[in-house]
Structure formats: structure tokens, C-alpha cells
Amino acid sequence: MEAQRHQRMMRILGEAIEREPAQRDAWLTEVCAGDNALRKEVERLLAHQKNATSFLEESPLAAAMRIEPDDETVIGRRIGPYEIVRELGRGGMG
């Protein structure tokens, strides 16, 4: 697929996701302007997006809020030939 066509398809997909499902059909007819291959590809990707909405049943933030801080320190413990000497940080996006 050529780069311009792919960019167009991704733009249409992004805009379609933002629309109400009831409005998508008429909007896709207009925006795809008779390009049935483009429309079918966008519809295929929309179907995948619909399935992905239940990927995370709970937000990561809500799950993290339930986690109790671990009072047990690991400083001084050995893992193989390595010894934990200090904590570098906590939390973050790891």
C-alpha cells in the first residue's frame, strides 16, 4: 500500500472512531467516495477496534490504587551473584 493511501486510511479510521456508530455508515459512504477497497479496509480495522475496547476491563490506575505498598525491604537480598544495595526509584511507567 502506498504511503499516501495508508495515511488517508489511517486518518479516515481515526475520524470514524470518533463518530457515533450509527453515523459511520453514511459518513464512510461520503468520505470513501466510491473507493470500495478503502472502505472495506477501514471497516475491517473498525471491527478490530471494536473488539479491542474490552482489552482492559479496569483502568491501570484503578488497579494500582488497590495495591498496598510492600513494607518488606529487599535491600541486602542477593539475586544470584548480585546484592541489592539500594532502591533506585519507585513507580513510573515501567
Side-chain angles (χ1 to χ4, degrees):
M1 178 180 299
E2 66 184 59
Q4 288 179 338
R5 184 170 176 83
H6 179 75
Q7 288 175 348
R8 180 176 179 218
M9 180 188 63
M10 295 308 289
R11 181 184 50 78
I12 291 171
L13 175 64
E15 291 178 25
I17 289 170
E18 297 297 320
R19 297 187 181 281
E20 293 294 324
Q23 299 172 341
R24 286 183 189 156
D25 187 54
W27 182 79
L28 282 173
T29 298
E30 179 183 329
V31 77
C32 290
D35 188 341
N36 291 331
L38 175 65
R39 181 179 177 140
K40 286 183 189 280
E41 185 63 17
V42 170
E43 288 174 338
R44 185 182 71 79
L45 293 171
L46 280 169
H48 286 292
Q49 186 272 339
K50 182 179 178 183
N51 292 336
T53 57
S54 63
F55 174 68
L56 294 175
E57 294 177 4
E58 179 179 26
S59 79
L61 179 60
M65 297 300 284
R66 288 196 329 271
I67 298 173
E68 295 292 324
D70 187 5
D71 293 332
E72 182 182 327
T73 183
V74 294
I75 296 173
R77 289 183 58 192
R78 295 190 73 79
I79 301 174
Y82 304 100
E83 180 181 354
I84 301 174
V85 294
R86 66 185 164 92
E87 183 175 315
L88 294 176
R90 187 176 292 250
M93 300 281 298

